[in-house]
Amino acid sequence: MAGETVITVVGNLTADPELRYTQNGLPVANFTIASTPRNFDRAKNEYVDGEPLFLRASVWREFAEHVAGSLAKGMRVIAQGRLRQRSYQDREGNQRTAIELEVDEIGPSLRYATAQVTRAARPEGGQADRGRTETATDTGWTSATPGDAQTDAWSPEGAYGDDTPF
């Protein structure tokens, strides 16, 4: 949306993402990203840590379930999203303001780690069908079981065929 504040944050998760469900059954995952700048101090001839930023973040719907199942405390992540300002009243009756990140995209940082990506399928009904993937064919999208090199262009076994997967 125009005029929104979009930022990218690189940092570590301070705890496992907390997956909850609203009264309507809508999944939401909340977590905190700690981002600490490191600067070179010429006087000391070494790198020093700056002041850390602790940013609360949230993701919704199927995305929340993916985040909760994939990310864990201590993981270095790259998150991009929109800053949201929320006002509320604390237990003592004081007005408070919180700034949070509504995450659009998040994933593990590969600077100091490796990752194995598993593509999540989304059948026509809109619900995730775990254990199945979707592949593009000349006739449109079809479902296939994982590892079926004949129809699964994303097969990890290396038998990719001549057709592009998209």
Side-chain angles (χ1 to χ4, degrees), residues 49-123:
D49 288 340
E51 289 294 316
L53 168 70
F54 293 92
L55 187 60
R56 289 291 298 164
S58 63
V59 293
W60 292 84
R61 298 181 175 77
E62 187 179 1
F63 189 15
E65 293 173 334
H66 293 182
V67 167
S70 302
L71 302 177
K73 177 182 178 177
M75 283 187 166
R76 184 175 175 88
V77 296
I78 303 169
Q80 184 177 47
R82 293 161 281 136
L83 287 180
R84 296 281 187 222
Q85 181 172 309
R86 180 175 56 90
S87 296
Y88 64 96
Q89 194 171 39
D90 66 12
R91 292 180 181 154
E92 289 81 37
N94 300 318
Q95 278 298 115
R96 301 283 184 179
T97 301
I99 296 179
E100 300 171 339
L101 182 65
E102 192 172 302
V103 176
D104 294 322
E105 297 288 338
I106 189 168
S109 169
L110 300 181
R111 184 174 211 157
Y112 305 113
T114 61
Q116 180 66 37
V117 177
T118 304
R119 186 172 180 218
R122 192 156 197 202

Side-chain angles (χ1 to χ4, degrees), residues 133-166:
T133 58
E134 297 175 337
T135 59
T137 65
D138 291 337
T139 59
W141 288 95
T142 61
S143 292
T145 31
D148 183 5
Q150 295 296 326
T151 58
D152 185 4
W154 297 97
S155 174
E157 297 165 5
Y160 290 110
D162 294 333
D163 297 328
T164 58
F166 31 79

Side-chain angles (χ1 to χ4, degrees), residues 37-50:
R38 286 183 61 84
N39 299 310
F40 189 74
D41 185 340
R42 289 185 178 164
K44 295 180 181 178
N45 201 30
E46 63 183 21
Y47 283 93
V48 294
D49 288 340

